[in-house]
Amino acid sequence: MVVFFAAFASLTNVTKTVAHKVVEGGGIVRSIQNHGIRVLPHRFKARYPDMEGNRYYEKGRYFSIYYDANPRVLKQVENVLRMDEEILRTNHLQARNPLWYVNIAHEGRNPYIRKVKYLEKKEQEEEEERLKKEEEKKNSEAS
């Protein structure tokens, strides 16, 4: 998430630069989302005043860039965003993937493995019950 206070044309230049860095580094840009101009949670201070002399901002344009890249590219993207004077704040988050919950090392914590084990146990109990009924039926016929 990036908070930006400049014109829309400047925003497109920054997003293009970030996208090029990601692609050049072997990554993939998944999506770019412009969340529009919003009221900031508190008054943000820019490093330098803008052309009108404003240094404090109460509104800003939020946008997100979702990408997959290695840590080296992440550092390059951070440097590009840090060097731009019109960017007030940046925040890098690692997106969650449902496959991350597949962790064989901790089977008790993994909901997928617990479900599979539950289903296997239930299936085994049903099989044992079926065999028990068949044996009882054979014993009753033999008597």
Side-chain angles (χ1 to χ4, degrees):
M1 181 73 72
V2 178
V3 179
F4 200 74
F5 70 87
F8 194 74
S10 204
L11 169 68
T12 57
N13 288 335
V14 170
T15 55
K16 283 180 184 178
T17 304
V18 168
H20 285 292
K21 286 285 183 194
V22 170
V23 172
E24 286 172 3
I28 298 171
V29 177
R30 299 284 180 190
S31 87
I32 299 173
Q33 297 176 357
N34 181 2
H35 303 288
I37 297 174
R38 296 188 194 170
V39 175
L40 301 173
H42 58 84
R43 190 171 74 154
F44 281 15
K45 180 180 178 182
R47 282 175 262 167
Y48 305 104
D50 63 3
M51 301 296 275
E52 299 163 1
N54 296 332
R55 190 160 183 181
Y56 294 95
Y57 296 91
E58 294 180 3
K59 289 184 179 181
R61 182 179 303 277
Y62 285 78
F63 71 96
S64 301
I65 302 174
Y66 295 92
Y67 62 92
D68 296 333
N70 61 32
R72 182 179 47 81
V73 174
L74 174 69
K75 287 290 184 190
Q76 291 176 353
V77 168
E78 285 177 347
N79 287 338
V80 166
L81 296 175
R82 194 177 309 119
M83 295 303 287
D84 195 323
E85 297 173 357
E86 297 173 330
I87 294 178
L88 298 175
R89 297 282 188 276
T90 63
N91 191 8
H92 278 81
L93 300 173
Q94 195 168 14
R96 292 284 180 196
N97 182 342
L99 295 177
W100 287 4
Y101 296 111
V102 179
N103 184 353
I104 297 173
H106 301 287
E107 293 178 0
R109 296 182 188 166
N110 187 326
Y112 301 107
I113 293 178
R114 282 195 312 230
K115 185 173 183 178
V116 168
K117 283 187 170 186
Y118 171 77
L119 293 173
E120 286 176 350
K121 185 178 177 183
K122 188 175 178 181
E123 188 177 295
Q124 185 179 11
E125 288 172 355
E126 289 172 356
E127 181 68 22
E128 287 174 2
E129 192 173 316
R130 188 186 60 80
L131 291 174
K132 197 176 191 182
K133 284 183 181 179
E134 284 180 7
E135 192 168 320
E136 286 176 2
K137 188 176 179 182
K138 281 184 184 179
N139 289 341
S140 65
E141 287 176 3
S143 307

